Amino acid sequence: LEGSVGELAPQQRELLTAANRDAERLHHIVEDLLDMGRIASGRVPMRLRPTPPALLLDAAARAATPAYHKAGVHLVTAAEADAPLVAADAPQVAHVFGNLLANALRY
């Protein structure tokens, strides 16, 4: 795609672009499976801290908003401002929410 082997015909470029997109998708699936395996085996230490649920939701929504806008989808979150704190590892929750939001957009 970068032209390192010469000029590509339009059909070749299209096929390589599709293959690249599929390879990226599979890479993300494998990384997610590896992450789940590490979490399930207890190899990922959880750093639980009291966290407002709205903070977790807002962070996930902010990260996903560009992809949602590009797809023409409006993403809305709703959390009670006075909801009790939850014991959460914010980076791990962000990863989970990110996967959920990406899958929701994709499917």
Side-chain angles (χ1 to χ4, degrees):
L1 286 172
E2 296 169 354
S4 61
V5 294
E7 192 65 30
L8 298 174
Q11 188 176 13
Q12 290 173 315
R13 181 169 294 286
E14 185 178 320
L15 288 171
L16 283 174
T17 300
N20 188 46
R21 190 173 40 248
D22 288 344
E24 287 289 325
R25 185 179 55 82
L26 290 173
H27 175 78
H28 289 295
I29 290 170
V30 169
E31 287 296 322
D32 290 344
L33 289 171
L34 289 170
D35 286 344
M36 286 189 287
R38 285 189 285 268
I39 290 168
S41 71
R43 289 186 296 176
V44 175
M46 299 300 242
R47 292 177 183 88
L48 302 177
R49 298 204 184 349
T51 309
L55 182 73
L56 297 170
L57 290 172
D58 289 343
R62 272 194 314 279
T65 294
Y68 272 68
H69 279 305
K70 183 177 179 184
V73 177
H74 185 66
L75 179 61
V76 178
T77 62
E80 297 292 326
D82 60 347
L85 299 178
V86 294
D89 183 327
Q92 293 297 333
V93 171
H95 184 70
V96 170
F97 282 176
N99 285 337
L100 289 171
L101 289 169
N103 288 337
L105 183 61
R106 190 174 303 123
Y107 302 108

